[in-house]
Amino acid sequence: MVMEKPKPDMPQKTGAAPDRGAWIVEMELIRDRRDKEAFGRLFAHFAPRVKGFLMKSGTEAGVAEDCAQDVMVTVWRKAHLFDARRASVATWIFTIARNRRIDIARRERRPEPEDLGWGPEPDASQEDSIALQQDTDQLGEALRTLPEKQRALIERAYFGDLSHREIADLTGLPLGTIKSRIRLALEKLRHAMDQST
């Protein structure tokens, strides 16, 4: 399923990450009312960040673009699984992206014929729902174990609106320091998540 990229109508960058509560409201509108405008705003914010996350994880740009769209379609289809008490919107979306990246890596190692998608996609099985929730919980816990300086940078780089250069300008830290701290934090997160699988 190919979705048109909605036009963003959220406030422009102000140097700080968007309010997490605002994303929860948007996600609840999608979950409870199937609100397409709320999904458009969520898509406009998170799809490019998911693509960037996948590319930084070694995924080729075209594949990352397709995968990011697929992740956002999954967000729409599985919105009923979102629980703000268990994870932030960003953590939930990036958990889906991480799982999709793992699926891509497995397919590249062991090619499988594509399934033909006829008719509506069935509802998520209880097993899939539990697995997604467990992964979300594990990513949230892994983020909480990071030192505050690293966690803040990860949140700004992946969940917020800021590039590495913008983070450097905002914090006054050298660009090289920003990049090395983010790289170290990603390695710690990857290690924590790999241990849990």
Side-chain angles (χ1 to χ4, degrees), residues 9 54 82 84 110 114 121 125 130 139 154 167 174 176 193 195:
D9 56 0
L54 293 166
F82 174 71
R110 190 188 66 232
E114 290 292 322
E121 185 176 280
S125 69
I130 291 169
L139 181 58
I154 288 291
I167 295 170
M193 295 301 288
Q195 283 187 323

Side-chain angles (χ1 to χ4, degrees), residues 47-59:
R49 285 155 186 79
V50 168
K51 179 182 175 183
F53 163 74
L54 293 166
M55 288 176 65
K56 287 176 184 175
S57 299
T59 307

Side-chain angles (χ1 to χ4, degrees), residues 7 21 49 64-65 69 104 114-115 125 141 149 158 195:
K7 294 176 182 169
R49 285 155 186 79
E65 174 82 24
Q69 287 223 358
I104 289 170
E114 290 292 322
D115 292 330
S125 69
E141 183 57 37
K149 289 179 180 178
Y158 287 97
Q195 283 187 323

Side-chain angles (χ1 to χ4, degrees), residues 106-114:
R106 285 181 183 150
R107 263 200 309 269
E108 287 173 351
R109 285 195 296 268
R110 190 188 66 232
E112 297 174 4
E114 290 292 322

Side-chain angles (χ1 to χ4, degrees), residues 67-88:
C67 188
Q69 287 223 358
D70 187 44
V71 166
M72 298 311 294
V73 169
T74 301
V75 168
W76 174 261
R77 289 179 174 161
K78 297 190 177 182
H80 63 281
L81 299 177
F82 174 71
D83 182 351
R85 295 167 300 179
R86 313 245 349 216
S88 70

Side-chain angles (χ1 to χ4, degrees), residues 1 3 37 41 43 46 51-52 57 65 73-74 79 88 96 102 106 111 118 121 125 130 137 139 160 169 182 187-188:
M1 174 180 179
M3 303 193 74
E37 290 181 10
R41 292 186 289 271
F43 187 105
F46 283 103
K51 179 182 175 183
S57 299
E65 174 82 24
V73 169
T74 301
S88 70
I96 295 170
I102 291 169
R106 285 181 183 150
W118 296 102
E121 185 176 280
S125 69
I130 291 169
D137 292 345
L139 181 58
D169 292 343
I182 288 175
E187 286 170 8
K188 287 180 182 177

